[in-house]
Amino acid sequence: MSEPVGTPARPRRRLWLVALPLVVFLALAALFFSRLETGGDPSRIPSALVGRKAPVVTLPPLAGLKGPDGQPLPGIDLAALGGKPALVNVWASWCGPCREEHPLLMQLGKDPRFSLVGINYKDAPDNARRFLGQFGLPYKAVGVDPNGRAAIEWGVYGVPETFVVAKDGTIVHKFVGPLTPEAVTGTLLPMMARLSGG
């Protein structure tokens, strides 16, 4: 007596239903282990703005902040940076990691090949001035973003974040989290040398 035509498909379907949870588990395990290998580095979060023009935002200056020459430090207008590449650093006085990266920013602020500018994010002006008075002023300009609207336009996840902007205003790289010596020497400075042509 011959078996019905549909019988062989039934064991295969059962096998597939039994194997499906195993396949899902293996895929999740592979994802988990790949994150462990990269150290779950949050600075690798991609930015939708990399490769696009920087947002056209003009931010008012931090009131009462003066530069080394005693003149008021300007706010942010990327169009007025003089055709140089720029580092745009988003920071706040209440941000612990901002304190960690600040010595590196002080060194970067001395490099004449690019302009280092800061966006002061959701901060009290007195606290921001006190922070820069205590740790130093690395920026050529500081714009204030009291309600975080500009940070949204820049696609900021949190502070600190640093954007590398080419002469033509294109965002070419984004660092999420505090800058590290390794990121500065291995990625940032070579990138800035290329962008500035020297």
Side-chain angles (χ1 to χ4, degrees):
M1 187 166 144
S2 64
E3 289 188 30
V5 177
T7 303
R10 190 171 288 157
R12 274 189 237 139
R13 193 176 307 143
R14 273 197 201 129
L15 181 62
W16 177 245
L17 288 174
V18 169
L20 184 62
L22 180 61
V23 169
V24 170
F25 171 77
L26 290 174
L28 289 173
L31 178 65
F32 174 75
F33 284 115
S34 72
R35 292 288 289 159
L36 279 179
E37 276 187 24
T38 63
D41 185 358
S43 68
R44 293 188 182 185
I45 296 172
S47 171
L49 294 180
V50 170
R52 297 185 181 173
K53 293 284 186 181
V56 180
V57 290
T58 303
L59 295 174
L62 178 59
L65 183 63
K66 295 189 177 175
D69 59 0
Q71 296 300 311
L73 208 66
I76 292 183
D77 179 4
L78 289 183
L81 290 179
K84 284 198 217 176
L87 278 182
V88 179
N89 177 252
V90 185
W91 66 281
S93 65
W94 45 262
C95 159
C98 295
R99 292 170 189 249
E100 292 173 27
E101 77 172 358
H102 206 79
L104 288 171
L105 293 175
M106 290 299 294
Q107 292 171 13
L108 291 169
K110 296 173 186 168
D111 195 317
R113 295 174 296 177
F114 53 87
S115 297
L116 174 59
V117 298
I119 296 177
N120 184 231
Y121 176 74
K122 292 188 175 182
D123 210 349
D126 288 344
N127 293 342
R129 281 191 303 275
R130 194 173 304 117
F131 178 94
L132 294 173
Q134 180 178 354
F135 297 106
L137 177 62
Y139 306 110
K140 304 279 186 284
V142 175
V144 294
D145 185 20
N147 54 19
R149 199 166 290 146
I152 290 171
E153 289 188 42
W154 279 86
V156 171
Y157 292 100
V159 289
E161 287 189 14
T162 304
F163 296 83
V164 178
V165 181
K167 293 177 189 180
D168 68 355
T170 303
I171 297 175
V172 295
H173 196 78
K174 175 182 179 179
F175 294 92
V176 177
L179 291 173
T180 62
E182 296 77 23
V184 168
T185 57
T187 304
L188 180 59
L189 290 177
M191 188 179 299
M192 284 311 210
R194 275 194 318 274
L195 291 173
S196 63

